Amino acid sequence: MQEELKQILVEGLQEAGAAATSQELSAVRLKYFGKKGLITQYSRRLGMLSPEERPRFGKIINEVRQELEEYLTTREQELLALEEQRKLESERLDVELPGRRPRRGHPHPLQLIIQEITTTFLGMGFSVAEGPEVELDYYNFEALNIPPEHPAREMHDSLYITDKILLRTHTSPVQVRTMEKVCPQPVRIIVPGRVYRRDALDATHSPIFHQIEGLLVDKHITFSDLKGILTVFVQKFFGEDRTVRLRPSFFPFTEPSTEVDVSCGCQGRGCRICKNTGWLEILGAGSVHPKVLAMANYDPELYSGFAFGMGVERIAMLRYGITDIRHFYENDLRFLSQFS
Ligand code: PHE
C-alpha cells in the first residue's frame, strides 16, 4: 500500500507539473482529490484497517496528500499568473495609434432648402403648419374647388387608398385644414411636406416629391402683397439682384392665378439653366378663390388672401445647378456629402 501511494504521488506530481493551463490543473486535482479521486479512495480505505495499522497509514496518506496539495497550489499560482500576463498582452492597446474618426452626418439637401425657405418666412411672421400625407378627397380636391369631374384632377392623378382617401397630390389641402381650425382668425402659414403623384420617375419627375405651400388670409390683402412677399423671398434665397415676373395662369383654388418666375443668374444673357429665356419658373400662386374662403367659413366679402406653392426639388435644382432629380433619392454619398 505504501509503495502504491508513493507511485501515485510521483505520478500526481508529474501530471501537475505537465499541466499547461489552470483548467488542465483542475482536472489533475479532481483526479486525485475529487469524490472518486485516487487519494480520496485511500482515505476511505483507512476505516477498514485494523486499529494498529491505521495511524501508520493515516500518516503516510496525510504526507502524500499534503505534498501533492502544496504542489498543486504552487503550480496553480504559476499558471494563473502566466494566464493573466498572456491576457494583458493580447489586450494591449497602442494609445498612440490614430483613432477612427466617426463620419459626421448632415441634413439632406432637400431638408436644407426646406429649412432655409421656412426660416425666411418665419422672419416675415409666418408659422409652420403641417397636414397628413394620407388625405381625404375632400381636402385634396373638393374644398379647393376641384369637383369630381374637374379636368384639373387629371394632372393630379394620385394613388388612391379608397374612393375617398388618397395620398395627397399637393400641400394645398393644409390651406383648408388650417383655415377651418382658426377661422375667423387671420392665417399666415408656411407648409412644407411630401406629396405624391402618379408620375414616372425621370430626370425632372418623381412620384414622391416635396412642396412648400404658403397661405395668408386677412382683411384687405391684395395681389401686391403677394408680389411683395415673394420678391422678398426670391431676393433672400437667390440673391438681391433678382427680380420677379408674374404670368397669368390657372388654378381652381386661386383667382386670379399666376406662375411666378425669377430672373436667371445669367442676367438675361442666356444660359442652359434658363434655356436662353432669362427666366426660371419657380412657383404657382394666386388670390385665394372666394369659394375656397367660403367653404372654410371665411366671409369672402370681408376676407381675402393669397396662396402659393413651390416644388422643393425644383428650387433645389435651380439653386445648385442639379440636372437630374433622381440624385436626391439615390443616397449616393458622393452627391450628398457635397452639401455638408
Ligand atoms: N397646389 C398647386 C400645385 O401643386 C400649387 C399652388 C399652390 C398654386 C397654391 C396656387 C396656390 O401645383
Side-chain angles (χ1 to χ4, degrees), residues 2 6 95 121 146 161 173 175 178 198 216 257:
Q2 195 173 351
K6 284 233 170 90
V95 292
F121 281 97
I146 312 176
I161 294 176
Q175 288 187 27
T178 308
R198 217 189 63 183
L216 193 154
S257 303

Side-chain angles (χ1 to χ4, degrees), residues 156 169-170 172 175 197 211 213 251 253-254 284-286 307-309:
H156 282 227
T169 62
H170 50 179
S172 302
Q175 288 187 27
R197 290 195 196 171
Q211 285 189 334
E213 189 90 4
F251 298 103
F253 37 94
T254 49
F308 57 86

Side-chain angles (χ1 to χ4, degrees), residues 75-326:
R75 189 74 191 125
E76 185 172 40
Q77 276 160 4
E78 274 172 23
L79 287 173
L80 286 178
L82 205 71
E83 281 162 14
E84 175 74 10
Q85 200 183 336
R86 264 191 221 133
K87 190 168 172 232
L88 284 178
E89 238 148 65
S90 73
E91 291 175 359
R92 166 175 274 156
L93 285 177
D94 182 349
V95 292
E96 293 183 359
L97 208 66
R100 279 183 212 124
R101 202 177 284 274
R103 247 210 273 217
R104 255 277 204 89
H106 59 83
H108 189 277
L110 294 176
Q111 282 308 314
L112 290 175
I113 296 283
I114 289 173
Q115 278 165 17
E116 188 179 335
I117 295 177
T118 306
T119 306
T120 300
F121 281 97
L122 288 177
M124 292 191 278
F126 285 70
S127 52
V128 176
E130 282 180 311
E133 289 174 24
V134 178
E135 184 55 283
L136 293 173
D137 181 278
Y138 177 75
Y139 288 113
N140 196 81
F141 292 126
E142 276 193 54
L144 290 166
N145 196 29
I146 312 176
E149 301 308 323
H150 197 287
R153 288 202 179 204
E154 246 164 67
M155 273 169 57
H156 282 227
D157 204 1
S158 175
L159 302 147
Y160 279 81
I161 294 176
T162 70
D163 276 359
K164 299 233 170 307
I165 301 173
L166 67 155
L167 297 182
R168 67 178 180 193
T169 62
H170 50 179
T171 42
S172 302
V174 188
Q175 288 187 27
V176 184
R177 285 182 172 274
T178 308
M179 282 192 281
E180 278 183 356
K181 235 185 283 168
V182 307
C183 182
Q185 240 72 257
V187 183
R188 201 180 284 208
I189 52 163
I190 194 92
V191 184
R194 192 171 290 152
V195 301
Y196 303 81
R197 290 195 196 171
R198 217 189 63 183
D199 277 336
L201 187 65
D202 63 24
T204 53
H205 296 87
S206 163
I208 304 175
F209 61 105
H210 299 77
Q211 285 189 334
I212 298 181
E213 189 90 4
L215 173 70
L216 193 154
V217 175
D218 207 337
K219 290 171 180 158
H220 315 300
I221 300 300
T222 68
F223 218 78
S224 56
D225 295 312
L226 168 65
K227 189 168 183 185
I229 292 263
L230 289 179
T231 303
V232 170
F233 156 65
V234 157
Q235 293 184 344
K236 262 206 127 146
F237 189 80
F238 289 100
E240 294 292 333
D241 55 338
R242 305 293 185 107
T243 52
V244 162
R245 179 176 81 171
L246 305 184
R247 274 182 294 120
S249 183
F250 175 80
F251 298 103
F253 37 94
T254 49
E255 181 60 36
S257 303
T258 176
E259 298 291 342
V260 178
D261 298 341
V262 53
S263 58
C264 184
C266 71
Q267 302 285 8
R269 259 164 285 161
C271 72
R272 223 168 31 136
I273 302 178
C274 63
K275 300 200 181 87
N276 294 322
T277 63
W279 296 96
L280 307 165
E281 183 185 321
I282 55 162
L283 56 88
S287 292
V288 181
H289 197 293
K291 272 198 188 165
V292 175
L293 287 173
M295 274 191 278
N297 303 319
Y298 283 86
D299 178 355
E301 299 296 327
L302 272 177
Y303 289 87
S304 54
F306 62 76
F308 57 86
M310 58 187 123
V312 178
E313 279 81 349
R314 183 170 164 76
I315 301 260
M317 288 166 82
L318 291 175
R319 177 64 159 316
Y320 298 121
I322 296 164
T323 50
D324 195 319
I325 199 171
R326 290 169 288 203

